[in-house]
Amino acid sequence: MATEVERKTDIGPPHYEKFLHPLVKENYGKWEYHETLAPGVLMHHGPAGDLYTVRVSSPRLVSINFLNNILDLADKYADGYLRFTSRNNVEFLLANKDNIEPLKKEISELGLLVGGTNNAISNIVHTQGWVHCHSAATDASGLVKSVMDELAEYFTSQKLPAKLRIAVACCLNMCGAVHASDIAILGVHRTPPKIDNATLPNLCEIPTTVASCPNNAIRPTSIEGKTTVKVDEDKCMYCGNCYTVCPAMPLADPLNDGVSIWVGGKICNARSEPMFTKLAIPYLPNNPPRWPEVTGAVKNIVEIYAANAKPYERVGEWINRIGWPKFFDLTGIEFTKYHLDDFRHAGTTYRRSLHNRY
Amino acid sequence: MAIPVEQLADEMYEIIKESAGVKKLKGGDLTKAMVAKYGDEVSRADAKAAIRMLIDSGRCVYGYFGGSSIELPHSEAAENK
Amino acid sequence: MADDLKTPLLDELEKGPWPSFVKDIKSLAGKKEMAKDLLRQLEKSYEDKRGYWKHGGLVGVMGYGGGVIGRYSALPEEFPGVSHFHTLRINQTSGWFYTADALREILNIWEEHGSGLLNVHGSTGDLVLLGTRTEELEPTFRALTEKGWDLGGSGSDLRTPSCCVGPGRCEYACYDTLSLAYNLTHAYQDELHRPMFNYKYKIKMSGCPNDCTAAIARSDMGIIGIWKDDIQVKPDAVAEYVDSGLDVQGLVVENCPTGCIELDGNEIKIDNSNCVKCMHCINVMPKALSPGKERGAAITLGAKAPIVEGALFGSVIIPFMKLEEPFEEVHDLIERIWEFWDEHGTNRERIGEFIERVSLATFLEGIGEKPLPQMIKAPRDNPYVFYEEYYAEEGEGEK
Ligand code: HEM
Ligand code: HEM
Ligand code: HEM
Ligand code: HEM
Ligand code: SF4
Ligand code: SF4
Ligand code: SF4
Ligand code: SF4
């Protein structure tokens, strides 16, 4: 019970108006059009004047030092105003066009890139991985760094046929939305949790552990007179919920954990309807620190897409036009039994017509 | 007649104590249990207030697992001192 | 740099053109034991190809059931600096706008009370303060609220509603996303901080069907701007695009999903009764075309990731709603939805799974909405209709 000085709760976030650049306030809701002046540099025109936006890469996992540098630049060039995008880029909001070039220069001195607009590969949305999560099958920050190092030229240019959005999630819980990206990199566990029968009976409540499994895969059992649990391997989907409540059931398996690659998802409604990603590569090994198999596979898909898609065609739209057989053919990706869906309504993904290209 | 919030809190506390280690209960479960017992004499708002009373007084805590259950304070297996 | 910090694998990630999180964490390693041990534990993860974290379910700030993710190292003796490494989620501001001064206040608090590391932003859209000890949670919370900031959600509660930049810097915005996000976040503080739901509930707001916040894929409730009347056309600007050499026929007309645009010389005609508001033509010619004047939003429900029953996109529940302050109609809808879901949903059942289980028809009845053809792609194709109305033999009337 709080008895001392007043403790505040439920105050919510500050009002956003405090954080709007004066030019944004004046043009609020009255913007007329925008132009892209260069990759990463936008001009928005409104009756009160033009606003210039400079979009900058960020690793998302950052320190106060990184942000302090950014804030100093905001003070120097953007009247102290900035924002972040839904894909974790930094955006400086400038009233003065002449500040663009000096700002870009200082950004590049900090080792950051300007880009991510229009037909570019923007920042990769991702989750925590080995940096912070207990159920990760791979690292997220390291994968993102490795993939974006390979693809940086597509961040700083707009030469792709359309936008290309990449996402990383470090396990099937998919805390980062990868199910609707052009290319998704998804950490996978391939084996059920390993039960430490020596410590489990002392460490974990059996009913809670049993109840933790969304698939009812965990049953109580008795080993040498002690109550412990066992896992029905056919039912387990490697979600890690049991490990959340019971540390004696680790899911991590260095030999088998790895990464799968998914393609063809899309969120915006432009032209075609939103689409889910579909499986392209069922498994690639974890090979830190650089994950060469993964970066190679992603780069290959990007390049084949860039060479073959028509203007404005997103990856999924391109594949729908050429058909999946040709996608596997062009990319050289092996088609396996794992590509055949076996979950509920799997049949809806089977070819139920003779519309095939030979 | 409406059941006093304090009484609801006490009764909820008893239910939580009984099911500790057996079943995790959420706010909704506790509310439903009270409604089952007292019908219209319990409003959702009162049930919510009773839960808030349990939490704010420190008699109960929120557990994360299984989707935010309401539990007796205890130490958990994963904790490091 | 501290001399006991040997991280040859992570050092590889300091190279290359993309900004390096390793370099950045290292910049704190001399000052913060937490940053240093985070790197050392991560190096071990890179060597062993596995994570070393345990999940803490009970830590939090007094009275709140969400906003803190508990985290303990599985190797506390080896890496004492990250023995505790809890995360705080901070309510995002509408559109992720900041002033440098306001953000500096948060950084100073975090330098004093935590690791000095952050996610800007987390995948929920909240600002994530990454890594502190149990005993620092309450002091951090107090320091934050002192400066006007509060915690976001986690567990079975409302997440901080999230929105696109909208009227703040986008000419396509069909309603004020920033204002609605602020309004909902403040209206539902209790639902945000004291988990009472069956499972989490996320609300995302995009100002137009470009859906820059991925509302249709990433939120239980998506509020996506749309218009009902005709696309606004500036004929002069169209002519300018044509004269400037833009292939309007090939890139715009032929990409319209409903084939409702015609190009005649340097004039275009749009059959608006067939336009599905996909945004393509407007995206390609922003100076010439803009959304109509009768604006509002469509509301989708039920997107979720694959846990537990498979992933779903949101589907349209309200094809069109006018959105004007103080947004009472939205509150009313949200509350009807929560009440029905509370009453009939099961533990850990997201709203999308719930609707699939009880059927869309039952759900609509439960929240008091009428079925409309805009809610479906096609009517059912299976004939097993369970008729609820039929005539009884001797004037017993309708059932
Ligand atoms: C020319 C038309 C468009 C304009 C003016 C526009 C405007 C914007 C703006 C202002 C943002 C920042 C939003 C925020 O962080 O709140 C943004 C981000 C985004 N938009 Fe759009 N958008 C357009 C078309 C599209 C389309 C067609 C798509 C999808 C196909 C799309 C997908 C995205 C994504 C994924 C982001 C996050 C990008 C990032 O953070 O780097 N946008 N867009
Ligand atoms: C390929 C793997 C997938 C990945 C990596 C992935 C990743 C993610 C991520 C990161 C989020 C965002 C969470 C947030 O910030 O709100 C998300 C949300 C979501 N995903 Fe996926 N997803 C995947 C597949 C799917 C699939 C197949 C579906 C549905 C068929 C799906 C449905 C959803 C839904 C509905 C959400 C919404 C929000 C939520 O649950 O909060 N995802 N996903
Ligand atoms: C049973 C399934 C799930 C479990 C056990 C789980 C667990 C977690 C954990 C432990 C974290 C914290 C990560 C960290 O900071 O260390 C987290 C973060 C998060 N989760 Fe989940 N999650 C699950 C499902 C989902 C789903 C289905 C979604 C949405 C689609 C989701 C969205 C998120 C988001 C957005 C974050 C923040 C991630 C970030 O900012 O990096 N989670 N989840
Ligand atoms: C109420 C239940 C149903 C009845 C009474 C029914 C009755 C019939 C009848 C009388 C025929 C024509 C047979 C003929 O050529 O003389 C037929 C054909 C057929 N039915 Fe059904 N049917 C039912 C449900 C279904 C369902 C659920 C399906 C599939 C989902 C189905 C698939 C077919 C097919 C594929 C044909 C052949 C159609 C053709 O020759 O073009 N039927 N059915
Ligand atoms: S996706 Fe999996 S491993 Fe990654 S943060 Fe979410 S629960 Fe953790
Ligand atoms: S990993 Fe998930 S599915 Fe497998 S046993 Fe544990 S809780 Fe059940
Ligand atoms: S969703 Fe529409 S209104 Fe919002 S930022 Fe994107 S393009 Fe603009
Ligand atoms: S918005 Fe889409 S459907 Fe409508 S006219 Fe433009 S391209 Fe066609």
Side-chain angles (χ1 to χ4, degrees):
Chain A
M1 217 159 293
T3 47
E4 343 75 82
V5 272
E6 177 203 11
R7 179 174 181 271
K8 292 183 196 158
T9 66
D10 302 282
I11 60 172
H15 199 285
Y16 55 91
E17 250 174 42
K18 287 203 268 188
F19 302 142
L20 300 182
H21 191 289
L23 194 51
V24 168
K25 260 190 217 163
E26 285 173 58
N27 279 328
Y28 196 90
K30 298 180 216 149
W31 298 104
E32 286 164 18
Y33 60 84
H34 70 279
E35 280 173 14
T36 308
L37 304 182
V41 184
L42 303 171
M43 182 277 283
H44 284 79
H45 175 77
D50 295 346
L51 179 79
Y52 301 91
T53 299
V54 177
R55 187 179 286 179
V56 178
S57 61
S58 152
R60 185 182 92 125
L61 167 52
V62 298
S63 72
I64 49 181
N65 296 337
F66 173 94
L67 284 169
N68 275 319
N69 287 337
I70 295 284
L71 298 183
D72 290 345
L73 290 184
D75 274 339
K76 191 161 167 192
Y77 295 110
D79 310 311
Y81 293 92
L82 74 166
R83 68 178 294 273
F84 294 82
T85 71
S86 51
R87 299 188 79 86
N88 309 317
N89 292 311
V90 184
E91 285 185 347
F92 294 96
L93 306 174
L94 320 184
N96 183 353
K97 193 175 181 181
D98 297 335
N99 281 344
I100 296 175
E101 287 312 317
L103 171 62
K104 280 172 86 170
K105 188 156 166 284
E106 291 209 38
I107 288 166
S108 105
E109 282 162 15
L110 286 177
L112 307 177
L113 304 174
V114 173
T117 49
N118 297 337
N119 298 345
I121 296 182
S122 187
N123 211 335
I124 299 185
V125 290
H126 60 282
T127 44
Q128 300 292 358
W130 292 333
V131 169
H132 198 253
C133 193
H134 65 292
S135 83
T138 187
D139 190 32
S141 308
L143 258 177
V144 168
K145 164 77 174 140
S146 304
V147 172
M148 283 313 286
D149 273 343
E150 231 18 80
L151 298 176
E153 62 172 304
Y154 294 104
F155 182 85
T156 53
S157 67
Q158 305 180 135
K159 61 186 178 184
L160 288 168
K163 292 173 192 310
L164 198 151
R165 298 293 181 239
I166 306 181
V168 169
C170 29
C171 83
L172 294 194
N173 290 336
M174 288 190 208
C175 298
V178 305
H179 54 291
S181 307
D182 293 281
I183 300 179
I185 302 170
L186 177 62
V188 288
H189 296 286
R190 300 193 297 172
T191 50
K194 286 147 289 296
I195 296 165
D196 182 353
N197 285 311
T199 59
L200 191 142
N202 301 326
L203 212 51
C204 311
E205 283 175 5
I206 302 293
T208 311
T209 308
V210 170
S212 73
C213 179
N215 286 3
N216 298 319
I218 304 179
R219 295 258 175 279
T221 185
S222 178
I223 292 179
E224 291 163 9
K226 282 194 173 170
T227 310
T228 177
V229 299
K230 65 176 178 202
V231 172
D232 179 345
E233 308 209 347
D234 288 341
K235 282 192 184 162
C236 176
M237 58 178 190
Y238 327 128
C239 71
N241 278 0
C242 49
Y243 179 60
T244 309
V245 292
C246 176
M249 298 181 69
L251 189 57
D253 177 353
L255 203 58
N256 282 296
D257 291 347
V259 167
S260 57
I261 310 272
W262 303 68
V263 297
K266 165 177 187 291
I267 283 164
C268 76
N269 284 277
R271 302 167 306 283
S272 54
E273 295 189 349
M275 294 185 260
F276 285 132
T277 51
K278 316 280 191 304
L279 182 64
I281 304 178
Y283 179 80
L284 292 169
N286 266 331
N287 233 336
R290 282 273 168 196
W291 283 270
E293 295 84 355
V294 179
T295 55
V298 171
K299 193 164 188 195
N300 175 44
I301 295 170
V302 170
E303 283 172 354
I304 301 280
Y305 157 75
N308 289 280
K310 294 185 182 172
Y312 292 106
E313 237 173 19
R314 296 280 294 265
V315 171
E317 294 172 306
W318 164 62
I319 297 173
N320 281 349
R321 175 168 61 81
I322 65 170
W324 286 96
K326 202 156 178 185
F327 168 80
F328 285 100
D329 196 31
L330 283 172
T331 53
I333 295 171
E334 186 194 2
F335 188 78
T336 70
K337 68 176 181 185
Y338 298 113
H339 290 92
L340 308 177
D341 195 357
D342 55 7
F343 199 54
R344 224 162 284 171
H345 307 303
T348 57
T349 63
Y350 302 164
R351 168 80 63 207
R352 285 175 166 161
S353 77
L354 289 185
H355 290 202
N356 264 324
R357 298 166 180 81
Y358 294 94
Chain B
M1 222 200 63
I3 310 288
V5 173
E6 290 78 12
Q7 185 188 336
L8 289 178
D10 288 341
E11 293 198 24
M12 286 178 175
Y13 186 74
E14 287 309 314
I15 300 178
I16 294 165
K17 221 160 78 180
E18 269 164 41
S19 61
V22 182
K23 187 175 184 323
K24 305 259 180 199
L25 297 172
K26 300 179 62 161
D29 300 326
L30 296 169
T31 305
K32 279 179 190 160
M34 291 298 113
V35 171
K37 189 161 170 192
Y38 295 114
D40 287 347
E41 289 168 67
V42 180
S43 71
R44 262 168 195 285
D46 285 352
K48 222 171 170 177
I51 291 167
R52 188 156 175 179
M53 192 177 276
L54 288 173
I55 298 282
D56 286 351
S57 66
R59 288 164 85 191
C60 292
V61 295
Y62 285 107
Y64 176 83
F65 155 68
S68 309
S69 43
I70 296 172
E71 309 176 12
L72 301 180
H74 60 281
S75 65
E76 54 182 333
E79 184 175 343
N80 295 336
K81 290 301 161 197
Chain C
M1 200 60 46
D3 16 301
D4 55 338
L5 185 63
K6 288 203 191 64
T7 55
L9 292 175
L10 289 176
D11 293 351
E12 283 298 313
L13 292 177
E14 292 188 58
K15 302 168 189 162
W18 193 250
S20 167
F21 69 101
V22 172
K23 209 183 268 178
D24 204 26
I25 303 177
K26 269 196 186 171
S27 76
L28 275 179
K31 209 154 62 173
K32 291 269 180 195
E33 209 53 25
M34 253 186 191
K36 191 171 83 181
D37 274 0
L38 178 66
L39 284 173
R40 293 176 60 231
Q41 177 170 319
L42 191 60
E43 178 74 10
K44 186 168 170 62
S45 283
Y46 273 50
E47 277 166 22
D48 300 351
K49 304 186 185 182
R50 57 158 298 181
Y52 284 105
W53 296 105
K54 293 184 292 182
H55 191 64
L58 289 175
V59 293
V61 304
M62 205 168 46
Y64 281 15
V68 175
I69 310 286
R71 186 68 69 224
Y72 298 101
S73 170
L75 304 169
E77 277 87 37
E78 210 174 331
F79 307 111
V82 289
S83 168
H84 295 203
F85 199 64
H86 312 316
T87 280
L88 293 123
R89 291 181 176 169
I90 302 184
N91 274 160
Q92 57 197 291
T93 59
S94 287
W96 302 290
F97 282 99
Y98 296 92
T99 55
D101 291 340
L103 202 46
R104 265 192 207 104
E105 288 181 346
I106 297 181
L107 299 184
N108 290 339
I109 292 170
W110 195 229
E111 177 158 28
E112 181 182 347
H113 292 285
S115 69
L117 299 171
L118 315 82
N119 284 148
V120 196
H121 293 84
S123 302
T124 55
D126 279 347
L127 184 67
V128 171
L129 303 184
L130 202 62
T132 193
R133 297 187 56 81
T134 305
E135 60 275 15
E136 287 291 346
L137 292 170
E138 189 64 28
T140 313
F141 177 65
R142 283 185 181 244
L144 287 167
T145 50
E146 212 43 56
K147 297 289 181 195
W149 299 91
D150 200 346
L151 297 193
S154 64
S156 295
D157 64 10
L158 177 67
R159 296 298 190 275
T160 315
S162 184
C163 69
C164 77
V165 68
R169 205 204 46 209
C170 186
E171 65 269 28
Y172 301 161
C174 292
Y175 73 96
D176 191 338
T177 50
L178 304 180
S179 170
L180 181 59
Y182 181 80
N183 175 293
L184 295 180
T185 309
H186 281 266
Y188 298 113
Q189 284 286 300
D190 200 35
E191 285 76 3
L192 229 160
H193 292 135
R194 295 177 193 80
M196 282 292 283
F197 296 153
N198 298 308
Y199 207 178
K200 63 179 95 167
Y201 196 87
K202 298 183 182 174
I203 305 177
K204 289 194 196 281
M205 284 153 265
S206 291
C208 81
N210 279 334
D211 195 3
C212 294
T213 61
I216 202 155
R218 294 176 62 167
S219 65
D220 297 278
M221 181 176 213
I223 306 180
I224 304 174
I226 197 127
W227 67 97
K228 275 177 112 168
D229 55 344
D230 295 354
I231 290 180
Q232 304 184 60
V233 183
K234 290 199 186 105
D236 297 352
V238 175
E240 261 174 57
Y241 275 115
V242 176
D243 294 342
S244 74
L246 178 76
D247 176 10
V248 176
Q249 180 65 30
L251 296 180
V252 182
V253 175
E254 284 167 23
N255 271 326
C256 170
T258 57
C260 65
I261 313 178
E262 257 179 73
L263 180 70
D264 182 3
N266 52 19
E267 273 177 50
I268 62 166
K269 273 203 229 86
I270 301 176
D271 170 10
N272 280 282
S273 64
N274 275 316
C275 162
V276 289
K277 327 296 181 206
C278 83
M279 294 295 296
H280 176 73
C281 57
I282 302 177
N283 288 341
V284 182
M285 304 197 291
K287 288 184 179 170
L289 306 178
S290 50
K293 291 183 175 151
E294 196 185 347
R295 299 176 176 193
I299 297 182
T300 62
L301 279 189
K304 57 165 281 294
I307 298 290
V308 173
E309 294 277 311
L312 300 169
F313 276 134
S315 62
V316 174
I317 293 291
I318 306 288
F320 187 84
M321 183 189 273
K322 266 209 153 356
L323 290 181
E324 276 154 10
E325 295 187 51
F327 305 115
E328 275 156 3
E329 241 186 299
V330 184
H331 292 202
D332 175 61
L333 176 70
I334 290 178
E335 284 157 29
R336 277 184 280 144
I337 291 168
W338 284 348
E339 190 171 336
F340 188 63
W341 180 45
D342 256 8
E343 194 64 42
H344 301 282
T346 61
N347 186 26
R348 290 176 79 89
E349 188 174 48
R350 297 283 291 270
I351 192 84
E353 293 160 332
F354 172 63
I355 295 172
E356 290 223 324
R357 179 170 61 83
V358 303
S359 88
L360 181 58
T362 307
F363 178 76
L364 290 174
E365 222 166 66
I367 64 166
E369 292 290 332
K370 281 205 169 50
L372 296 170
Q374 284 86 351
M375 296 174 179
I376 54 166
K377 230 186 272 180
R380 68 162 74 223
D381 50 18
N382 88 67
Y384 300 101
V385 180
F386 293 97
Y387 294 96
E388 287 180 5
E389 300 95 15
Y390 47 83
Y391 299 109
E393 195 69 52
E394 273 294 309
E396 280 167 38
E398 266 186 348
K399 198 197 153 208

